[in-house]
Amino acid sequence: MMHVPSPRHLVLAALAGALILAGCSQGGAPAPDAAQQQAQAKAAEAARNLDTYRQLLRIHNDQMAATLGQDIVQRFPGSAAAKEVQQTLPEVEQRWKENSEKARLAALWQYQVAPMAGGTQSTAATYNSRPIGVHVRLVLRRHTSWGQSAFLFNDGRGGFVCKGECTIAAKFDDKTRAIKAYAPSTGEPALMIRDDKGFITALEKAKKISLPVTLQDGEKKVELVYEVGGFVPDQWQALPKKGKR
């Protein structure tokens, strides 16, 4: 007696055949080896980092963009991501460098308005950057009673050697200018600049000021160097003159 296959067996056989045919049609594409998988993963990481770099550019975060851009160029040389980053990275690095320097110079100055000797004073002050170990403030002051002044104030021991009126061979960047100064008769460790208006005008145009002075402590000669490029005149508040409100 002939055995007739059931419909269920026919369906299973058809499915098995289809799977065999599918396996045969795909058998020519081997799975990626370890090196290929690693290359694919590296390309995917480069693409993700590039997307983050683009976002940092859009929000103008130059510091993080420069750091990430350098990392992309170093870790993925020759990649499409590295080539795209190299088109903008030099400009980003330069802008970050300039803005960082501006912020550093601005942070060297301190501005304050406070009561002083029966009046109110507004000051802009910065410390010398050289020589190390010497702490002399350069102070620009406006006082409601005393008016405007510019002076050096020694936070260390003693004041300055200056008998009567002395001359400082000041240097504003590369331009030398003679500055007249005097020690206050009240004994403060300060050196007052005679032409405060001219000194401040020259300061506003300079990046660096050098002031050779002699300290009372051991009559030590020092050249005080001030980085003044971050001075912001608008932050040094003007005060009403005496008798005015």
Side-chain angles (χ1 to χ4, degrees), residues 87 103 127 150 219 224:
Q87 294 177 5
Y127 278 97
E219 295 197 1
L224 302 172

PDB file of all heavy atoms in Angstrom, residues 87 103 127 150 219 224:
ATOM      1  N   GLN A  87      39.848  70.837   8.746  1.00  0.00           N
ATOM      2  CA  GLN A  87      39.424  72.035   8.022  1.00  0.00           C
ATOM      3  C   GLN A  87      39.121  73.201   8.964  1.00  0.00           C
ATOM      4  O   GLN A  87      39.248  74.364   8.581  1.00  0.00           O
ATOM      5  CB  GLN A  87      38.194  71.723   7.169  1.00  0.00           C
ATOM      6  CG  GLN A  87      38.455  70.735   6.041  1.00  0.00           C
ATOM      7  CD  GLN A  87      37.203  70.403   5.256  1.00  0.00           C
ATOM      8  OE1 GLN A  87      36.139  70.984   5.481  1.00  0.00           O
ATOM      9  NE2 GLN A  87      37.304  69.462   4.324  1.00  0.00           N
ATOM     10  N   ALA A 103      41.293  86.100  28.965  1.00  0.00           N
ATOM     11  CA  ALA A 103      40.703  85.789  30.273  1.00  0.00           C
ATOM     12  C   ALA A 103      41.767  85.790  31.357  1.00  0.00           C
ATOM     13  O   ALA A 103      41.539  86.276  32.475  1.00  0.00           O
ATOM     14  CB  ALA A 103      40.001  84.436  30.221  1.00  0.00           C
ATOM     15  N   TYR A 127      48.955  92.916  40.677  1.00  0.00           N
ATOM     16  CA  TYR A 127      50.281  92.625  41.227  1.00  0.00           C
ATOM     17  C   TYR A 127      51.292  92.414  40.101  1.00  0.00           C
ATOM     18  O   TYR A 127      50.923  92.026  38.981  1.00  0.00           O
ATOM     19  CB  TYR A 127      50.241  91.369  42.101  1.00  0.00           C
ATOM     20  CG  TYR A 127      49.744  91.610  43.509  1.00  0.00           C
ATOM     21  CD1 TYR A 127      48.414  91.368  43.842  1.00  0.00           C
ATOM     22  CD2 TYR A 127      50.595  92.073  44.499  1.00  0.00           C
ATOM     23  CE1 TYR A 127      47.949  91.588  45.136  1.00  0.00           C
ATOM     24  CE2 TYR A 127      50.146  92.280  45.802  1.00  0.00           C
ATOM     25  CZ  TYR A 127      48.824  92.037  46.113  1.00  0.00           C
ATOM     26  OH  TYR A 127      48.368  92.254  47.389  1.00  0.00           O
ATOM     27  N   ALA A 150      47.647 107.339  41.024  1.00  0.00           N
ATOM     28  CA  ALA A 150      48.219 106.059  40.638  1.00  0.00           C
ATOM     29  C   ALA A 150      49.473 105.861  41.470  1.00  0.00           C
ATOM     30  O   ALA A 150      50.277 106.785  41.613  1.00  0.00           O
ATOM     31  CB  ALA A 150      48.542 106.032  39.150  1.00  0.00           C
ATOM     32  N   GLU A 219      67.739  97.955  50.364  1.00  0.00           N
ATOM     33  CA  GLU A 219      67.952  98.801  49.175  1.00  0.00           C
ATOM     34  C   GLU A 219      68.143  97.938  47.928  1.00  0.00           C
ATOM     35  O   GLU A 219      69.056  98.114  47.124  1.00  0.00           O
ATOM     36  CB  GLU A 219      69.140  99.754  49.381  1.00  0.00           C
ATOM     37  CG  GLU A 219      68.904 100.766  50.489  1.00  0.00           C
ATOM     38  CD  GLU A 219      69.863 101.935  50.436  1.00  0.00           C
ATOM     39  OE1 GLU A 219      70.703 101.975  49.518  1.00  0.00           O
ATOM     40  OE2 GLU A 219      69.764 102.813  51.301  1.00  0.00           O
ATOM     41  N   LEU A 224      60.063  95.788  38.365  1.00  0.00           N
ATOM     42  CA  LEU A 224      58.708  95.277  38.508  1.00  0.00           C
ATOM     43  C   LEU A 224      58.048  95.197  37.132  1.00  0.00           C
ATOM     44  O   LEU A 224      58.005  96.187  36.398  1.00  0.00           O
ATOM     45  CB  LEU A 224      57.887  96.189  39.422  1.00  0.00           C
ATOM     46  CG  LEU A 224      58.450  96.405  40.830  1.00  0.00           C
ATOM     47  CD1 LEU A 224      57.650  97.485  41.559  1.00  0.00           C
ATOM     48  CD2 LEU A 224      58.442  95.110  41.624  1.00  0.00           C
TER      49      LEU A 224
END
